[in-house]
Amino acid sequence: MLQDKKIVFSGVQPSGNLTIGNYIGAIKNFSRFSEEYETFYCVVDMHAITVRQVPAELRRRTYETLALYMACGLDAKKNTLFVQSHVPYHAELGWILDCYTMFGELSRMTQFKDKSAKHADNINAGLFTYPSLMAADILLYQTDVVPVGIDQKQHIELTRDIATRFNQVYGDTFTIPEGFIPTDTMKIMSLAEPTAKMSKSDPNPNAIVYILDNKDDIIRKFRRAVTDSDTRVCYGEGKDGINNLMNIYHAFTGKSNEEIEREFDGKGYGDFKLAVGEACADGLAPVRAEFDRLIAAKAYLESVMKEGSEKAMYYARKTMSKVRRKIGFVN
Ligand code: AQP
């Protein structure tokens, strides 16, 4: 019996090189579920095309994202690792859920508002309906827990609303998922503009620390991080830059705000920035080394994708046949 364990699902878009925001907010937390849950971690390439992608780069980043999952500690034997477009049920359920998602709900999504402002020349229907495809990703696997960063909270709430609505009409069909949003890590903000989220598609490379950046680049980027005119390392209102650096330092060292404030009492921002850079670079060094090893093994990555999609298909097919029957499609 495959189904004794609770189910975990999450995904990352291969829409750019992955950032420490993706790492701290999401991927770093994935492996904690591997032993006790049935886990599905997906490279969500279908979401990535809501923004224009260069095909060769999308393909390369799909492999890289899978390799990064593994480099961050996800064992392919203990977790189902796969690519979204390899399981066509995502698109099928996505369309069906579009028909159970309200225009007003989608219009309220802050990610849609942000992304349509950023890509004003390409506000396509997929960008708008992104959350119902995300709901399909989650609901296909009868997911109990979705580990995501805080920026995805609104999409998880909408997924729950869509599932509840569907269940009310057709009877119990979908498990209602819970988000797993770590309370000790906040949204990681841009180093250049600390009131905006650090996003992999930000065109300013100094705003972003990539998981695969080398130590020198990481330290240089933290040295240049925007802070404020104060000099004291402490958490507080109006100190967005320092708050962000403290969150990052906490993520790599486990130190609390009070401990950080004590450690840098009497020291300047320069010392603090250097310490954050070093903690981050040292924390990521093993990930980079393992990534280099995995990315060279393309055939192995392909075998992981293939096995992962076969297992995902098995689960997704069961949900889809239930959904098709409930809504009245002829089998
Ligand atoms: N800055 C962040 N802080 C904390 N968590 C973050 N996540 C992303 N950025 C931060 C979390 O990473 C997971 C994967 O995100 P995604 O790739 O699906 O999409 P996203 O949230 O739109 O990430 P980006 O980096 O901003 O991508 P682009 O630039 O392509 O839109 C999610 O769990 C997310 O919460």
Side-chain angles (χ1 to χ4, degrees), residues 20-21 186-199 207-209 240-241 243-245 247-248:
I20 56 167
M186 309 299 284
K187 183 160 41 165
I188 303 305
M189 310 306 269
S190 152
L191 296 190
E193 197 189 333
T195 49
K197 180 180 126 177
M198 184 183 286
S199 268
I208 310 167
V209 177
D240 301 307
N243 295 346
N244 189 36
L245 296 181
N247 284 333
I248 295 170

mmCIF file of all heavy atoms in Angstrom, residues 20-21 186-199 207-209 240-241 243-245 247-248:
data_model
loop_
_atom_site.group_PDB
_atom_site.id
_atom_site.type_symbol
_atom_site.label_atom_id
_atom_site.label_comp_id
_atom_site.label_asym_id
_atom_site.label_seq_id
_atom_site.Cartn_x
_atom_site.Cartn_y
_atom_site.Cartn_z
ATOM 1 N N ILE A 20 19.367 32.764 -2.939
ATOM 2 C CA ILE A 20 19.308 32.348 -1.531
ATOM 3 C C ILE A 20 17.894 32.545 -0.971
ATOM 4 O O ILE A 20 17.557 31.968 0.049
ATOM 5 C CB ILE A 20 20.360 33.051 -0.647
ATOM 6 C CG1 ILE A 20 20.234 34.577 -0.730
ATOM 7 C CG2 ILE A 20 21.763 32.587 -0.990
ATOM 8 C CD1 ILE A 20 21.026 35.297 0.362
ATOM 9 N N GLY A 21 17.049 33.326 -1.654
ATOM 10 C CA GLY A 21 15.631 33.428 -1.267
ATOM 11 C C GLY A 21 14.942 32.085 -1.504
ATOM 12 O O GLY A 21 14.252 31.557 -0.623
ATOM 13 N N MET A 186 12.084 34.863 7.255
ATOM 14 C CA MET A 186 11.184 35.804 6.608
ATOM 15 C C MET A 186 11.431 35.747 5.101
ATOM 16 O O MET A 186 12.277 35.019 4.626
ATOM 17 C CB MET A 186 11.486 37.218 7.103
ATOM 18 C CG MET A 186 11.532 37.328 8.595
ATOM 19 S SD MET A 186 9.983 36.882 9.356
ATOM 20 C CE MET A 186 9.035 38.328 9.003
ATOM 21 N N LYS A 187 10.687 36.594 4.409
ATOM 22 C CA LYS A 187 10.941 36.754 2.984
ATOM 23 C C LYS A 187 12.324 37.391 2.826
ATOM 24 O O LYS A 187 12.634 38.383 3.490
ATOM 25 C CB LYS A 187 9.849 37.657 2.411
ATOM 26 C CG LYS A 187 9.955 37.836 0.963
ATOM 27 C CD LYS A 187 8.690 38.297 0.250
ATOM 28 C CE LYS A 187 7.839 39.334 0.880
ATOM 29 N NZ LYS A 187 6.867 39.930 -0.039
ATOM 30 N N ILE A 188 13.147 36.833 1.986
ATOM 31 C CA ILE A 188 14.482 37.402 1.746
ATOM 32 C C ILE A 188 14.340 38.506 0.701
ATOM 33 O O ILE A 188 13.731 38.300 -0.353
ATOM 34 C CB ILE A 188 15.471 36.305 1.281
ATOM 35 C CG1 ILE A 188 15.541 35.171 2.318
ATOM 36 C CG2 ILE A 188 16.855 36.891 1.006
ATOM 37 C CD1 ILE A 188 15.893 35.582 3.729
ATOM 38 N N MET A 189 14.896 39.663 1.035
ATOM 39 C CA MET A 189 14.686 40.837 0.193
ATOM 40 C C MET A 189 15.914 41.113 -0.672
ATOM 41 O O MET A 189 17.015 40.636 -0.394
ATOM 42 C CB MET A 189 14.381 42.064 1.071
ATOM 43 C CG MET A 189 13.298 41.825 2.114
ATOM 44 S SD MET A 189 11.772 41.187 1.416
ATOM 45 C CE MET A 189 10.904 42.690 1.094
ATOM 46 N N SER A 190 15.681 41.919 -1.711
ATOM 47 C CA SER A 190 16.749 42.329 -2.622
ATOM 48 C C SER A 190 17.844 43.070 -1.851
ATOM 49 O O SER A 190 17.546 43.871 -0.952
ATOM 50 C CB SER A 190 16.115 43.251 -3.666
ATOM 51 O OG SER A 190 17.046 44.159 -4.170
ATOM 52 N N LEU A 191 19.105 42.833 -2.215
ATOM 53 C CA LEU A 191 20.196 43.548 -1.531
ATOM 54 C C LEU A 191 20.290 44.999 -2.003
ATOM 55 O O LEU A 191 20.830 45.847 -1.305
ATOM 56 C CB LEU A 191 21.543 42.859 -1.784
ATOM 57 C CG LEU A 191 21.727 41.439 -1.246
ATOM 58 C CD1 LEU A 191 23.182 41.018 -1.382
ATOM 59 C CD2 LEU A 191 21.277 41.300 0.205
ATOM 60 N N ALA A 192 19.736 45.269 -3.186
ATOM 61 C CA ALA A 192 19.820 46.629 -3.724
ATOM 62 C C ALA A 192 18.609 47.464 -3.325
ATOM 63 O O ALA A 192 18.684 48.684 -3.246
ATOM 64 C CB ALA A 192 19.928 46.568 -5.244
ATOM 65 N N GLU A 193 17.497 46.773 -3.073
ATOM 66 C CA GLU A 193 16.243 47.487 -2.778
ATOM 67 C C GLU A 193 15.504 46.655 -1.725
ATOM 68 O O GLU A 193 14.626 45.843 -2.047
ATOM 69 C CB GLU A 193 15.421 47.542 -4.081
ATOM 70 C CG GLU A 193 14.328 48.562 -4.078
ATOM 71 C CD GLU A 193 13.433 48.375 -5.311
ATOM 72 O OE1 GLU A 193 13.912 47.864 -6.337
ATOM 73 O OE2 GLU A 193 12.263 48.712 -5.207
ATOM 74 N N PRO A 194 15.896 46.822 -0.453
ATOM 75 C CA PRO A 194 15.446 45.862 0.560
ATOM 76 C C PRO A 194 13.959 45.895 0.913
ATOM 77 O O PRO A 194 13.531 45.157 1.803
ATOM 78 C CB PRO A 194 16.317 46.191 1.777
ATOM 79 C CG PRO A 194 16.918 47.509 1.517
ATOM 80 C CD PRO A 194 16.879 47.780 0.056
ATOM 81 N N THR A 195 13.169 46.708 0.202
ATOM 82 C CA THR A 195 11.717 46.615 0.405
ATOM 83 C C THR A 195 11.087 45.715 -0.655
ATOM 84 O O THR A 195 9.891 45.452 -0.620
ATOM 85 C CB THR A 195 11.062 48.013 0.327
ATOM 86 O OG1 THR A 195 11.544 48.646 -0.858
ATOM 87 C CG2 THR A 195 11.393 48.875 1.542
ATOM 88 N N ALA A 196 11.896 45.231 -1.618
ATOM 89 C CA ALA A 196 11.373 44.343 -2.669
ATOM 90 C C ALA A 196 11.940 42.939 -2.473
ATOM 91 O O ALA A 196 13.081 42.776 -2.024
ATOM 92 C CB ALA A 196 11.784 44.869 -4.038
ATOM 93 N N LYS A 197 11.145 41.935 -2.828
ATOM 94 C CA LYS A 197 11.577 40.540 -2.680
ATOM 95 C C LYS A 197 12.811 40.240 -3.536
ATOM 96 O O LYS A 197 12.921 40.765 -4.649
ATOM 97 C CB LYS A 197 10.401 39.653 -3.137
ATOM 98 C CG LYS A 197 10.641 38.168 -3.052
ATOM 99 C CD LYS A 197 9.414 37.403 -3.516
ATOM 100 C CE LYS A 197 9.758 36.422 -4.606
ATOM 101 N NZ LYS A 197 8.667 35.593 -5.068
ATOM 102 N N MET A 198 13.720 39.431 -3.027
ATOM 103 C CA MET A 198 14.816 38.954 -3.865
ATOM 104 C C MET A 198 14.232 37.932 -4.837
ATOM 105 O O MET A 198 13.678 36.922 -4.406
ATOM 106 C CB MET A 198 15.913 38.303 -3.015
ATOM 107 C CG MET A 198 17.111 37.878 -3.843
ATOM 108 S SD MET A 198 18.396 37.022 -2.883
ATOM 109 C CE MET A 198 19.138 38.335 -1.958
ATOM 110 N N SER A 199 14.313 38.233 -6.122
ATOM 111 C CA SER A 199 13.718 37.369 -7.148
ATOM 112 C C SER A 199 14.757 36.969 -8.160
ATOM 113 O O SER A 199 15.544 37.804 -8.595
ATOM 114 C CB SER A 199 12.638 38.141 -7.923
ATOM 115 O OG SER A 199 11.401 37.949 -7.343
ATOM 116 N N ALA A 207 21.617 42.674 -6.813
ATOM 117 C CA ALA A 207 20.494 42.627 -5.883
ATOM 118 C C ALA A 207 20.300 41.220 -5.333
ATOM 119 O O ALA A 207 19.596 41.007 -4.354
ATOM 120 C CB ALA A 207 19.223 43.072 -6.604
ATOM 121 N N ILE A 208 20.939 40.253 -6.022
ATOM 122 C CA ILE A 208 20.639 38.840 -5.788
ATOM 123 C C ILE A 208 21.902 38.095 -5.397
ATOM 124 O O ILE A 208 22.950 38.302 -6.010
ATOM 125 C CB ILE A 208 20.173 38.180 -7.111
ATOM 126 C CG1 ILE A 208 19.074 38.999 -7.763
ATOM 127 C CG2 ILE A 208 19.754 36.750 -6.895
ATOM 128 C CD1 ILE A 208 18.810 38.585 -9.194
ATOM 129 N N VAL A 209 21.780 37.188 -4.438
ATOM 130 C CA VAL A 209 22.865 36.230 -4.232
ATOM 131 C C VAL A 209 22.346 34.893 -4.747
ATOM 132 O O VAL A 209 21.299 34.406 -4.313
ATOM 133 C CB VAL A 209 23.258 36.132 -2.738
ATOM 134 C CG1 VAL A 209 24.344 35.075 -2.553
ATOM 135 C CG2 VAL A 209 23.744 37.489 -2.234
ATOM 136 N N ASP A 240 15.202 48.241 6.880
ATOM 137 C CA ASP A 240 14.894 47.079 6.024
ATOM 138 C C ASP A 240 16.147 46.326 5.590
ATOM 139 O O ASP A 240 16.169 45.094 5.561
ATOM 140 C CB ASP A 240 14.117 47.528 4.777
ATOM 141 C CG ASP A 240 12.820 48.221 5.155
ATOM 142 O OD1 ASP A 240 12.047 47.638 5.917
ATOM 143 O OD2 ASP A 240 12.602 49.367 4.701
ATOM 144 N N GLY A 241 17.184 47.088 5.216
ATOM 145 C CA GLY A 241 18.417 46.449 4.738
ATOM 146 C C GLY A 241 19.055 45.604 5.835
ATOM 147 O O GLY A 241 19.415 44.438 5.615
ATOM 148 N N ASN A 243 17.604 44.517 8.632
ATOM 149 C CA ASN A 243 16.688 43.424 9.003
ATOM 150 C C ASN A 243 16.893 42.229 8.070
ATOM 151 O O ASN A 243 16.949 41.071 8.499
ATOM 152 C CB ASN A 243 15.225 43.875 8.904
ATOM 153 C CG ASN A 243 14.886 44.977 9.902
ATOM 154 O OD1 ASN A 243 15.646 45.231 10.827
ATOM 155 N ND2 ASN A 243 13.747 45.625 9.713
ATOM 156 N N ASN A 244 17.014 42.542 6.771
ATOM 157 C CA ASN A 244 17.185 41.487 5.777
ATOM 158 C C ASN A 244 18.503 40.740 6.003
ATOM 159 O O ASN A 244 18.540 39.505 6.000
ATOM 160 C CB ASN A 244 17.163 42.128 4.376
ATOM 161 C CG ASN A 244 17.120 41.110 3.270
ATOM 162 O OD1 ASN A 244 16.489 40.059 3.394
ATOM 163 N ND2 ASN A 244 17.793 41.407 2.165
ATOM 164 N N LEU A 245 19.582 41.486 6.251
ATOM 165 C CA LEU A 245 20.880 40.841 6.487
ATOM 166 C C LEU A 245 20.832 39.999 7.765
ATOM 167 O O LEU A 245 21.421 38.916 7.838
ATOM 168 C CB LEU A 245 21.997 41.889 6.572
ATOM 169 C CG LEU A 245 22.262 42.700 5.293
ATOM 170 C CD1 LEU A 245 23.418 43.679 5.506
ATOM 171 C CD2 LEU A 245 22.573 41.795 4.111
ATOM 172 N N ASN A 247 18.169 38.490 8.918
ATOM 173 C CA ASN A 247 17.419 37.269 8.576
ATOM 174 C C ASN A 247 18.310 36.255 7.858
ATOM 175 O O ASN A 247 18.244 35.055 8.113
ATOM 176 C CB ASN A 247 16.235 37.609 7.661
ATOM 177 C CG ASN A 247 15.102 38.253 8.424
ATOM 178 O OD1 ASN A 247 14.941 38.017 9.620
ATOM 179 N ND2 ASN A 247 14.319 39.075 7.738
ATOM 180 N N ILE A 248 19.131 36.777 6.957
ATOM 181 C CA ILE A 248 20.011 35.876 6.191
ATOM 182 C C ILE A 248 21.052 35.258 7.129
ATOM 183 O O ILE A 248 21.320 34.049 7.094
ATOM 184 C CB ILE A 248 20.676 36.641 5.015
ATOM 185 C CG1 ILE A 248 19.606 37.096 4.016
ATOM 186 C CG2 ILE A 248 21.736 35.774 4.326
ATOM 187 C CD1 ILE A 248 20.088 38.063 2.942
#
